[in-house]
Amino acid sequence: MVLITDPEDERIADYRALTDVELRTRWEPPNGLFIAEGELVLRRALRAGYLPRSVLVDAKRVGQLPGPIGAPVYAAGQDVLERTTGFHVHRGVLASFHRRPLPPAADVLAAATRVAVLEDVNNHTNLGAIFRGAAALGMDAVLLSPSCADPLYRRSVRVSMGEVFAVPYARLDPWPAALAEVKAAGYRLLALTPAPDALPIQRLDRAARDRPALLLGAEGSGLTTAVLRAADHRVVIPMRAGVDSLNVAAAAAVAFWELTREA
């Protein structure tokens, strides 16, 4: 363990300005790293086989770390942590990890039977919650349009409770033409939409449920017209009491449960 007293120390450069979303999204993927926050997420990243670059920990919580880490461990007081990261590190543990190359979409599709396909989901909180729901409710993988947010961004990782490490994912590109690749792999494209002509999802027949690829759009705008046209079925979660829709992460969880309840 190395004690850090200067927030400008280059050894902890990976942790600077963690609250600056634009800076971090420009910095982390090109430099092949991501940040995990909290002891639980750290443990899950290690369990998933990600290689740590370093750990930055509140000096009072060094004893909470699993060991051995296999990377430098830097300890600092809360004042240094806050001045470095830009926020109060109340979980006490941050870790920088090496990213892994994303697998081809074809490999992910071949190893799965139920997938979620996300279009333009660029809210990190929603993305993390969708991954957590996918892991908890039996979806095998997640496919992302090129415009989706980074699943390994710190907030996504934290909201997912580290489940982004457990659910295989890949990018589908070009979009939406690559949806043809999903169909060719034997999946039925199910577009989740509040459209009045959509089929209540609980009424899907066995053939449509066999290899589902559930299409989910961004908060507010939903799926684009091109994606809706590409779908084999339009499905809806019936609403009551005049409510028109659910948050995309909540809707995803309900639909995941429905599609996997007989598995």
Side-chain angles (χ1 to χ4, degrees), residues 1-4 9 11 72-76:
M1 186 194 73
V2 177
L3 183 64
I4 301 292
D9 193 314
R11 291 174 292 183
V73 175
Y74 303 116

Side-chain angles (χ1 to χ4, degrees), residues 81-102:
L81 293 178
E82 289 189 38
R83 289 163 61 195
T84 302
T85 64
F87 69 100
H88 179 73
V89 187
H90 65 277
R91 288 179 174 83
V93 178
L94 295 164
S96 175
F97 280 89
H98 293 280
R99 288 176 181 254
R100 296 195 294 235
L102 284 183

Side-chain angles (χ1 to χ4, degrees), residues 190-201 214-217 221-224 228 231 233-239 244-245 251:
L190 309 178
L192 192 63
T193 171
D197 64 342
L199 177 72
I201 192 168
L214 182 69
L215 301 166
L216 298 159
S221 58
L223 294 167
T224 59
L228 289 170
H233 302 280
R234 298 185 183 195
V235 294
V236 63
I237 299 169
M239 298 285 108
D244 63 347
S245 64

Side-chain angles (χ1 to χ4, degrees), residues 58-84:
D58 184 331
K60 297 179 180 178
R61 300 196 185 186
V62 172
Q64 296 179 4
L65 292 178
I69 298 293
V73 175
Y74 303 116
Q78 268 294 337
D79 60 333
V80 174
L81 293 178
E82 289 189 38
R83 289 163 61 195
T84 302

